[in-house]
Amino acid sequence: MNRQPFLIGFLAALLIACSGYRGKAAEKRTWSDRSGKYSIEASFVRIEGNQVTLLKGDGKEVTLPIEKLSTRDRAYVRKQAMTGRSEDKKSDPRQTETSPKTEASDKKEIQGVARKFFEALRKQPASGMEDMLTAQASARYPSENSPVKELPAPDRGPSIRVGKVTIDGDTATVEVKVRLRGQFRDTVLHVRREAEKWLIHAISAPAADGTEQTIDFESAADDTPSRPTEDAGNSLEVPNGGAEEILQFIEKLVMTRPANVQSEADLREYLRKRHEVILKATDTILGGDATEDQMAKAIQFKLESLSLAAQLGMPDAAKQQEDFIKAIQKDSRPAIQAAIKPLEGVLRRLTLIGNEMEIEGLLLNGEPFDWASYEGKVVLVDFWATWCGPCLQEMPNVKKAYQQYHDKGFEVVGISLDQEIELVEKYVQTEEIPWAILFSPDKEANGWNHPMAVHYGIHGIPSTMLVGKDGKVISLSARGPQLEKQLQMLLGDQLPLDDESPKKQGRNEPRTRQGR
């Protein structure tokens, strides 16, 4: 193999000799780049920052960026560095001492890698993941049984909150709150210093029974408690155990990424099967001798599953949801009544059909919003955020509907779940949004804590409510083609479209309506 392109194109190597961390002389081996196109025979010499120095057979040293090496070679470098660092400490105990300045920078580095780790989980495939893992975990990552690949992806938007870092020598933990399916969950990442970098090797999180479970990334998935998958034998069979065991089963089930899904039809079929299993499991809990906390969890799981089934158009799901809400509200058992109290917002939203809804809050300019001024109009109430991909994808459809039906009595009220008002104002100005936008300037009461989001139990966006002229809610799923169908039924044929998009009135106000 021609080694010149390897040296020039892949590694941009410099023939240098300089001081730094030096490990033991290693055996000669074949090194290659990530693509596998180029290789070189050399021995490991030392690591300097993010570069590794190798010794070629002709006695010349070459320095290469570690990040450009293959996964196997990066794992080898980390192992060499870890061994050398350990031996250095034995000869110089003072090296274990950490100055306040160094500790502060270490904590910042650990918090950074924790955030990047969860951000990478959102991407498929997760790019750059191997660079955040320890040598052993990185070596396992390319295989299908890597535990990292079984972790669920965080929700889009501001769903990662990195917290306290605790350092103990060359190991550390970092607390991270991650939003999954609309709810924040506590996790702890375990990190270790290798190759002068802080790298992740495990994660801990509370299980459904309240105990803490740890997943070791350096072990194969088969060596750790695995999450069920569609084709994992009895994974869709409800266990014959108590409430805690069944809740643990449901928790694992809803966090599972389905296997062997090749099309949208496959996914819908899997979700249908999962929905049936969740209904059976939650009914078992609610019909048995469960605690208030267990019943609350079961009710929430059932409501979420019914809500998703209704959105997917599963037969009778909406009717089942309505009947279930009525049943638990009438259930006189103290445990049930105590269980549904924290779910008041969700229940309030799910029972809006045929009832009036109230909206209050502040507009972008700080002025109070006047819901009464929309009386006699058909109004789309849209919970959204600038960081929400599906929300932004739906926005052109809403703007089109506004342009076609506004003069016939159609209005839109947006409720932003953003945390930074500047982002909302920039988006509204750039996209020329013509309707009212509510935003809470209170840092403790914006985002998912916006009073209206809490009041109506909003755990996922976009979330819409279509309100009729009589002030009563008509639909909880007026999006895409359904929005136009509903508007055509309520307001008649659409007006012809002009070439121009709807003009922005002032700074975000519906025409003849209030300002921001």
Side-chain angles (χ1 to χ4, degrees), residues 132-422:
M132 298 177 239
L133 302 175
T134 58
Q136 193 171 347
S138 179
R140 286 193 180 278
Y141 181 73
S143 66
E144 288 300 321
N145 65 346
S146 168
V148 178
K149 293 185 177 179
E150 293 196 9
L151 297 178
D155 295 349
R156 293 183 178 275
S159 56
I160 303 166
R161 299 176 181 174
V162 182
K164 180 181 178 182
V165 175
T166 303
I167 300 177
D168 183 11
D170 270 1
T171 63
T173 58
V174 52
E175 300 173 6
V176 186
K177 288 184 178 293
V178 184
R179 184 160 55 81
L180 301 169
R181 296 167 49 247
Q183 293 187 344
F184 275 97
R185 300 171 184 265
D186 294 323
T187 69
V188 175
L189 287 177
H190 301 263
V191 298
R192 185 166 61 234
R193 197 196 318 251
E194 292 184 6
E196 305 300 321
K197 294 174 65 179
W198 288 100
L199 303 166
I200 301 166
H201 65 88
I203 187 173
S204 297
D209 60 1
T211 62
E212 184 175 86
Q213 289 189 345
T214 299
I215 299 176
D216 183 5
F217 299 157
E218 297 180 331
S219 300
D222 292 341
D223 300 332
T224 58
S226 59
R227 292 181 173 85
T229 59
E230 178 186 1
D231 55 353
N234 296 326
S235 61
L236 292 179
E237 301 245 346
V238 180
N240 294 321
E244 280 302 328
E245 183 180 350
I246 297 175
L247 281 172
Q248 201 166 7
F249 162 78
I250 300 173
E251 177 82 14
K252 290 181 179 180
L253 182 61
V254 298
M255 300 294 283
T256 298
R257 294 178 181 178
N260 302 323
V261 171
Q262 304 296 328
S263 65
E264 182 179 349
D266 291 342
L267 178 60
R268 292 179 71 89
E269 177 61 17
Y270 171 79
L271 292 175
R272 183 190 66 78
K273 291 180 179 179
R274 192 186 75 174
H275 172 62
E276 292 176 352
V277 172
I278 291 175
L279 293 187
K280 181 179 178 181
T282 52
D283 285 344
T284 300
I285 295 172
L286 296 174
D289 185 17
T291 66
E292 292 178 4
D293 184 58
Q294 291 167 343
M295 286 190 175
K297 290 179 180 178
I299 290 171
Q300 185 165 358
F301 277 130
K302 185 168 182 175
L303 285 173
E304 289 178 353
S305 189
L306 284 168
S307 179
L308 176 60
Q311 291 179 41
L312 293 174
M314 294 185 187
D316 301 326
K319 181 67 166 55
Q320 288 178 332
Q321 178 177 273
E322 182 181 349
D323 291 344
F324 176 61
I325 292 173
K326 290 179 179 178
I328 59 176
Q329 288 177 327
K330 293 179 180 179
D331 197 314
S332 60
R333 286 180 292 173
I336 289 290
Q337 292 304 309
I340 65 176
K341 190 171 183 180
L343 304 175
E344 288 178 352
V346 176
L347 296 174
R348 185 179 293 112
R349 170 169 49 87
L350 296 178
T351 54
L352 277 174
I353 299 294
N355 296 308
E356 295 183 357
M357 71 178 298
E358 293 296 327
I359 301 178
E360 59 184 30
L362 299 178
L363 296 161
L364 286 176
N365 65 357
E367 294 293 325
F369 173 74
D370 182 13
W371 180 231
S373 67
Y374 288 78
E375 184 178 350
K377 300 289 184 178
V378 174
V379 185
L380 179 72
V381 180
D382 182 17
F383 287 85
W384 71 291
T386 60
W387 47 260
C388 168
C391 300
L392 303 188
Q393 291 172 10
E394 176 67 9
M395 196 63 73
N397 182 59
V398 179
K399 290 175 70 175
K400 178 182 176 182
Y402 185 88
Q403 182 180 6
Q404 293 173 330
Y405 290 97
H406 176 72
D407 289 341
K408 303 189 77 172
F410 175 56
E411 296 285 2
V412 180
V413 175
I415 301 178
S416 170
L417 301 192
D418 284 274
Q419 294 179 308
E420 302 296 334
I421 192 171
E422 293 80 9

Side-chain angles (χ1 to χ4, degrees), residues 108-128:
K108 185 175 181 180
E109 179 184 344
I110 291 169
Q111 289 176 326
V113 75
R115 179 172 294 280
K116 289 180 181 178
F117 174 81
F118 283 107
E119 288 175 346
L121 287 178
R122 289 196 183 121
K123 304 174 184 177
Q124 294 298 323
S127 59

